């Protein structure tokens, strides 16, 4: 692909920021197909022509490839960390550092799929020129990895030039610098909250911290995405606006099992976010096993064994709240959601736009009381236009932790 991904509608804009200033950047993936792997990298001057310093790359993405690889080479020494404080607009309970830990054999990116949002704190340590990159993705990691549609970058793409001029240089660990700055800037906070903030504890600002399990005996809900061309389906049914596919009760909690067949799909649900409880993958014995350790870190053996480099994008998601998540091939995701406050109908769908438009969407109705007449609405004469035809969901493989 030779086209560009724009930033705020501009192709390869130039940003100028001072050294040492902590900035909050909000990334919004407003595209319909491509995976975007965001990295911030210190530029390396090449010969006497510093194309990054002069904001002077030319040509399409493929024509820029050689210059970009030379000038914006990502390594453990050039990668600038991103400190994520919120995902999908929801403040995290703990600051997450996207850095050069080489998870799964690759430098970490801020992995953005269509519909994702990510709020990060960034600080540039010293004067110089930096690259905001959409880093190259292995083919399997891209959203649409068949022969059609967007396929993400096969080579790095420069999203923006970043020129750091003036300010105060920072020496030492950038995360410690950010923590101290937050601590120093908030002297009126209670001591425990202020100290926690310095150490990356964001719980006082998080709208959700943990959801209790569903009531005993509650049925697990399922959303199984599949394409059996020309049918694009959720639980074997294409979208019908006159059918309610799920009816659930307000102020209750459900666990959902998300799966995808054939190619990755992106689960997105409106109104109420969900908590990522577990991500599992199939081992050599055909069993579903968790990718997480008990403390929520990723199991190194699973991440390194995944030659397609899919597992690493789930590292850092354990028990976080989101409203959008990619369901990769050979992975299943268990999420937990509480139907809080609101009754009425809304949708869940695949966030790859053409999949949604082709029918990969379903209606969910939240009612006051599942046992009340009228389909839980409490009014016997009130029913949706049509009742759904019984279509069993694809049966997922049982998982083992």
């Amino acid at each position: 692909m030779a086209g560009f991904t724009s930033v705020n509608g501009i192709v390869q804009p130039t940003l100028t920021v001072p050294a040492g200033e902590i900035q909050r950047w909000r990334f919004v993936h407003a595209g319909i197909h491509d995976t975007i792997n965001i990295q911030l990298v210190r530029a390396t001057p090449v010969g006497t022509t510093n194309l990054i310093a002069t904001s002077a790359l030319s040509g399409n993405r493929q024509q820029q490839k050689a210059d970009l690889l030379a000038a914006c080479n990502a390594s453990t020494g050039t990668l600038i960390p991103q400190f994520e404080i919120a995902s999908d607009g929801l403040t995290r309970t703990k600051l997450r550092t996207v850095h050069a830990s080489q998870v799964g054999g690759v430098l970490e990116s801020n992995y953005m799929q269509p519909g994702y949002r990510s709020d990060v704190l960034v600080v540039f340590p010293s004067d110089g020129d930096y690259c905001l990159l959409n880093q190259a993705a292995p083919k399997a990691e891209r959203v649409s990895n068949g022969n059609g549609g967007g396929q993400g970058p096969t080579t790095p793409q420069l999203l923006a030039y970043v020129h750091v001029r003036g300010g105060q240089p920072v020496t030492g660990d950038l995360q410690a610098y950010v923590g101290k700055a937050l601590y120093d800037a908030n002297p009126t906070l209670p001591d425990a909250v202020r100290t926690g903030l310095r150490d990356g504890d964001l719980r006082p600002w998080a709208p959700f911290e943990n959801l209790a399990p569903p009531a005993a005996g509650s049925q697990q809900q399922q959303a199984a995405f599949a394409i059996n061309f020309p049918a694009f389906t959720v639980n074997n049914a294409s979208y019908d606006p006159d059918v309610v596919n799920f009816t659930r009760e307000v102020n209750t909690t459900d666990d959902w099992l998300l799966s995808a067949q054939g190619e990755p799909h992106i689960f997105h649900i409106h109104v109420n976010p969900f908590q990522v409880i577990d991500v599992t993958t199939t081992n050599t014995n055909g069993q579903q096993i968790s990718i997480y350790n008990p403390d929520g870190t990723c199991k190194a053996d699973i991440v390194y064994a995944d030659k397609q480099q899919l597992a690493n994008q789930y590292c850092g998601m354990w028990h976080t709240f989101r409203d959008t998540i990619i369901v990769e091939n050979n992975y299943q995701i268990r999420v937990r959601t509480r139907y809080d406050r609101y009754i009425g109908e809304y949708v869940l769908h695949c966030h790859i736009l053409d999949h949604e438009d082709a029918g990969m969407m379903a209606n969910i109705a939240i009612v006051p009381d599942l046992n009340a007449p009228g389909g839980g609405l409490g009014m016997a004469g009130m029913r949706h236009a049509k009742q759904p035809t019984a279509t069993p969901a694809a049966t997922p493989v049982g998982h083992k932790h």
Side-chain angles (χ1 to χ4, degrees), residues 64-329:
Q64 292 182 1
K65 177 180 177 179
D67 289 331
L68 190 63
L69 288 172
C72 301
N73 181 40
S75 69
T76 56
T78 62
L79 198 65
I80 303 300
Q82 303 167 51
F83 304 107
E84 187 178 58
I85 59 173
S87 53
D88 292 350
L90 303 165
T91 302
R92 298 173 62 96
T93 58
K94 178 80 174 173
L95 179 144
R96 172 191 171 226
T97 304
V98 181
H99 52 57
S101 65
Q102 294 188 286
V103 174
V106 295
L107 298 175
E108 285 187 305
S109 296
N110 193 341
Y111 301 102
M112 302 289 292
Q113 306 290 5
Y116 280 22
R117 287 90 72 207
S118 175
D119 287 49
V120 299
L121 303 180
V122 296
V123 56
F124 295 92
S126 60
D127 269 15
D129 303 298
Y130 298 79
C131 310
L132 177 62
L133 291 181
N134 182 5
Q135 188 55 272
K139 183 176 181 180
E141 188 186 276
R142 303 174 219 153
V143 170
S144 184
N145 52 31
N147 295 320
Q151 294 188 357
T154 55
T155 59
Q157 176 195 164
L158 184 75
L159 295 173
Y161 304 93
V162 182
H163 302 319
V164 178
R165 304 288 185 265
Q168 296 294 323
V170 179
T171 58
D173 181 73
L174 288 180
Q175 184 167 343
Y177 173 82
V178 168
K180 183 178 185 303
L182 294 174
Y183 180 89
D184 292 344
N186 291 280
T188 60
L189 288 176
D191 288 344
V193 174
R194 189 179 179 210
T195 301
L197 179 61
R198 181 193 62 197
D199 298 331
D201 184 354
L202 304 177
R203 287 176 297 174
W205 295 272
F208 312 102
E209 186 170 343
N210 213 22
L211 288 178
S218 296
Q219 180 181 2
Q220 179 176 256
Q221 305 301 303
Q222 294 182 26
F225 293 105
I227 301 174
N228 295 297
F229 197 80
F232 288 69
T233 64
V234 179
N235 294 346
N236 297 327
S238 292
Y239 183 64
D240 183 336
D242 293 326
V243 168
V244 173
N245 306 93
F246 304 90
T247 302
R248 311 306 301 154
E249 185 175 308
V250 73
N251 294 326
T252 64
T253 302
D254 274 337
D255 280 353
W256 287 68
L257 188 65
L258 314 178
S259 61
Q261 293 181 357
E263 64 179 86
H265 297 289
I266 301 172
F267 176 81
H268 173 63
I269 192 165
H270 291 198
V271 181
N272 293 302
F274 52 80
Q275 185 175 20
V276 180
I277 300 300
D278 200 8
V279 177
T280 64
T281 188
T282 308
N283 67 9
T284 54
N285 296 323
Q287 300 169 307
Q288 286 286 312
I289 57 172
S290 177
I291 72 167
Y292 297 120
N293 293 307
D295 65 354
T297 58
C298 267
K299 294 176 180 174
D301 58 334
I302 291 179
V303 173
Y304 279 88
D306 183 354
K307 301 305 181 185
Q308 293 184 312
Q309 301 177 2
L310 302 179
N312 53 22
Q313 65 182 306
Y314 295 118
C315 298
M317 286 190 183
W318 185 77
H319 283 203
T320 59
F321 283 85
R322 313 178 58 86
D323 62 27
T324 311
I325 192 167
I326 190 166
V327 187
E328 291 282 9
N329 296 130

